[in-house]
C-alpha cells in the first residue's frame, strides 16, 4: 500500500491542503478561502479523508499556520492559534482538531517555519544550518532554521515587527501596523503599499517610485536580520516578491547598507546567491506541511 | 592531581586570564592591557605555564575573543582574528598560538558567546535554550544561544550594527560607527556617549538627558532582537550597563515599543526577570573562557 503525508498551509485568507511525498509527487491539492474554524477545519479533515479512501495510508499531517501560535510541546495549548487579530480563530485548537478528526499524528509550526523546512528539504536551503525564510505579502513574517532546527525561542519570531529607520521627509506615510505603526510590516507589507499609493502592488508600474522605497525598507530589514542571526542565506517569498525586479534592488541596497562590514564571501562576492526567491515557489507553504508531517512519522 | 581549565577574555583594550573550575573556584586571575599579538599572546601563555607549575593539570583553554573571528571548524583559519580594525591583530592565529604554546586543546568563540556560555552554565541563563547576551561598552556586541547552542551562523552575529529609528530632530548626532554612522553601536556605545555629550558615561549625572536617549536606543535594539530571535531572556552587561538606573528605563521602553504585541507572560508580567544584568558580573567573560574549555575536555 502506498504511503504518503498530508500538508496544510493555513493562511489568514486562504488554506491549501495537499498529500504526497515531496515536490515531484504532490498527489492531490486543494485550496479554499479561510472561513471560521467551524467551517474550515472540517473541510481540511474531509479533504484528507477523501484522499485516504482513494490512495493508501496517510502517515501524518503537518500544519504550517498563521499565528500567533503556541509551539511549546509541553504546553496545554500546544498546537493552538492563540491571540490572532482574526477573532473567530482566537484560542483555536487547530492541531488537536485535525488529530482527532483523522486519527493520525499532527505536527504544527508557523507558516514561515514550515515553508523554511520545505526549502531546507527540497529547495533553496539544502545543506544549510542557519537561514531565514521571509514572506512579504498581506503581512511580513520570518522563520527559518538556526543551528539546523526551526527558530522558535520563547514563542516564535515575529520578524515583520522590527523597527527600522523611517525618514518622514522622504516618506510621510505613518504605516499600517495596528500595534507599531511604522514597523517593517507597517511600512512594506502589501496593505502598506496599497494604503500609501492608493493601488495594490500588482497594479503599479515597474518604474513606479513605490518599488525604490519598497526595496529600501526590505533591505533595511534584511540588514538587521543579517547582523542579528548571521544567516547563510535569505529566501524571500510571498505575493509582493512576485515582482522579481525587487530582488536586484534589494541586493544592491543590502550591500550598500552593510558598508562592507560583514566580511563574508557569501555576501560580498555572491549576493545573487545570498538573497534568493524560494525554489519551491508558491508551493513552499503546503510542502512545508508535508515536510513537518514527515518529521514525526516516517 | 588537581584538574582545572583555563579561560581567556580577550578584549580590544584588556585581556583577562584565569584558571579554575567555575565561579566558586577561580584559582588565579590576571589582567593586562592589550598590546600587539607578539607582546600579548606570550603573556597569556606564560600565565598558564606558571599556573601549571603550581597547581596540577591544565585540561584545556577557552578563549572568548574580540573580533571579527573565524569560528568555522572546517576552515583553515579557524581560531583566527580576521579583519579587525585593530591592525596589529589582522589575520592572527590566536587559538593556534595558544595551543602550540601550551600543548593543550583550545576552544574559541566570540567574547559575547563565551560570556553567554558562562551565564548559561552558572548564571542568569541556566535552564534556558534561547537567550541573548548583549554587552554595551566600547562597542555593542551580542551573542547567546539558540536552540541550546551558541549563535554562529555564517560568521557570527554582529548585533551592535543593526539599524534603528533615529529621530534627527530629537538627536542630531550622526553616530560614531565608521561603517554605518548611526547604527545601534554608532548611537549608543560608550564612545557615542562621550562624543555626543563631551563626557564619558561615568562622568554624567544620573539625571542627565543622556540616559533617557541611551535607554531609548538600547530598547529599540532589544525590540528588534526580541522580534527576530524570540529569546527567553536578555542579559545586558558591559561598562555602560554599570549604570543600573538604565535597566528600569530600558524595560519600560521595551514594553511600550512592543505595544503588547508579543503575548508572553515572561515579557508582559515579568519584565524585571526578562531583561537582566549578568549574574556573574564582570567575570562572565573570563568564566566564559573556562566554560568553553570545559566543553572540549572534561
Amino acid at each position: 500500500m502506498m504511503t504518503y503525508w498530508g500538508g496544510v498551509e493555513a493562511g489568514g485568507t486562504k488554506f491549501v491542503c495537499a498529500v504526497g511525498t515531496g515536490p515531484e509527487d504532490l498527489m492531490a491539492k486543494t485550496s479554499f478561502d479561510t472561513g471560521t474554524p467551524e467551517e474550515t477545519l472540517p473541510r481540511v479533515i474531509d479533504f484528507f479523508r477523501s484522499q485516504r479512501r482513494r490512495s493508501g495510508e496517510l502517515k501524518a499531517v503537518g500544519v504550517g499556520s498563521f499565528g500567533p501560535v503556541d509551539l511549546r510541546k509541553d504546553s496545554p495549548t500546544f498546537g493552538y492559534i492563540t491571540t490572532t487579530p482574526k477573532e473567530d480563530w482566537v484560542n483555536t485548537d487547530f492541531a488537536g482538531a485535525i488529530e482527532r478528526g483523522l486519527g493520525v499524528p499532527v505536527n504544527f509550526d508557523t507558516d514561515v517555519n514550515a515553508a523554511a523546512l520545505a526549502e531546507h528539504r527540497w529547495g533553496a536551503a539544502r545543506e544549510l544550518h542557519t537561514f531565514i525564510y521571509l514572506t512579504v505579502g498581506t503581512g511580513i513574517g520570518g522563520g527559518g532554521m538556526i543551528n539546523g532546527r526551526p527558530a522558535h525561542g520563547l514563542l516564535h519570531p515575529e520578524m515583520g515587527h522590527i523597527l527600522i529607520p523611517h525618514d518622514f521627509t522622504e516618506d510621510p506615510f505613518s504605516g499600517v501596523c495596528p500595534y507599531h505603526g511604522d514597523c517593517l510590516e507597517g511600512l512594506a507589507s502589501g496593505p502598506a503599499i496599497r494604503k500609501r499609493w492608493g493601488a495594490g502592488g500588482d497594479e503599479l508600474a515597474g518604474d513606479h517610485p513605490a518599488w525604490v522605497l519598497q526595496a529600501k525598507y526590505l533591505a533595511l530589514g534584511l540588514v538587521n536580520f543579517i547582523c542579528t542571526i548571521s544567516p547563510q542565506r535569505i529566501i524571500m517569498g510571498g505575493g509582493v516578491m512576485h515582482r522579481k525586479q525587487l530582488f536586484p534592488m534589494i541586493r544592491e541596497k543590502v550591500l550598500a547598507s552593510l558598508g562592507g562590514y560583514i566580511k563574508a564571501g557569501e555576501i560580498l562576492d555572491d549576493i545573487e546567491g545570498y538573497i534568493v526567491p524560494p525554489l519551491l515557489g508558491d508551493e513552499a507553504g503546503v510542502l512545508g506541511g508535508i515536510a513537518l508531517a514527515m518529521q514525526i512519522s516516517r
Side-chain angles (χ1 to χ4, degrees), chain A:
Chain A
M1 192 167 66
M2 190 163 181
T3 302
Y4 60 93
W5 292 264
V8 182
E9 178 187 10
T13 53
K14 197 180 69 169
F15 267 57
V16 184
C17 303
V19 296
T21 62
E24 308 297 323
D25 175 39
L26 269 187
M27 289 150 49
K29 198 171 121 176
T30 187
S31 74
F32 42 86
D33 290 345
T34 307
T36 65
E38 293 71 27
E39 293 158 1
T40 309
L41 297 179
R43 291 189 73 166
V44 172
I45 292 165
D46 284 349
F47 168 77
F48 289 116
R49 279 192 183 144
S50 66
Q51 293 308 311
R52 173 184 280 174
R53 257 176 254 124
R54 286 202 341 226
S55 32
E57 192 195 4
L58 178 68
K59 297 284 284 183
V61 170
V63 179
S65 178
F66 69 99
V69 290
D70 186 348
L71 303 177
R72 310 192 226 204
K73 300 239 165 168
D74 58 352
S75 162
T77 54
F78 170 77
Y80 278 54
I81 292 180
T82 56
T83 56
T84 174
K86 288 182 76 72
E87 285 183 18
D88 292 335
W89 287 82
V90 170
N91 284 324
T92 295
D93 180 10
F94 194 148
I98 306 295
E99 199 162 317
R100 286 188 296 275
L102 293 169
V104 297
V106 173
N107 201 1
F108 191 74
D109 210 321
T110 61
D111 44 7
V112 277
N113 272 342
L117 191 64
E119 290 289 333
H120 185 253
R121 187 163 190 138
W122 298 296
R126 274 174 286 185
E127 319 280 313
L128 304 183
H129 55 77
T130 300
F131 67 95
I132 290 171
Y133 181 98
L134 195 75
T135 181
V136 187
T138 312
I140 296 182
M145 282 184 167
I146 297 177
N147 291 336
R149 290 172 55 197
H152 290 167
L154 179 62
L155 298 178
H156 49 74
E158 290 281 1
M159 296 191 191
H161 295 272
I162 65 165
L163 303 167
I164 56 171
H166 174 195
D167 179 349
F168 281 86
T169 315
E170 176 192 42
D171 173 28
F173 182 63
S174 59
V176 297
C177 175
Y179 288 90
H180 315 113
D182 63 347
C183 64
L184 179 59
E185 176 171 304
L187 289 173
S189 61
I193 296 175
R194 177 171 294 280
K195 187 152 184 211
R196 185 190 285 107
W197 303 105
D202 47 349
E203 303 164 67
L204 297 173
D207 60 353
H208 192 282
W211 303 116
V212 175
L213 202 61
Q214 187 67 15
K216 175 182 165 172
Y217 290 137
L218 292 174
L220 290 171
L222 296 199
V223 163
N224 285 359
F225 302 142
I226 291 167
C227 289
T228 306
I229 289 180
S230 192
Q232 297 168 290
R233 187 168 295 151
I234 297 174
I235 302 169
M236 300 184 78
V240 171
M241 297 311 298
H242 286 169
R243 293 298 278 251
K244 294 296 179 218
Q245 72 191 88
L246 280 169
F247 279 93
M249 296 164 73
I250 290 168
R251 291 175 186 134
E252 187 187 323
K253 283 174 189 292
V254 164
L255 284 178
S257 296
L258 284 174
Y261 182 71
I262 313 272
K263 311 272 189 221
E266 290 85 344
I267 297 176
L268 296 176
D269 306 331
D270 185 26
I271 192 75
E272 289 80 10
Y274 188 71
I275 299 170
V276 300
L279 205 65
L280 305 172
D282 291 337
E283 287 187 336
V286 72
L287 284 166
I290 290 175
L292 278 169
M294 293 173 104
Q295 281 193 320
I296 55 164
S297 177
R298 278 162 188 284

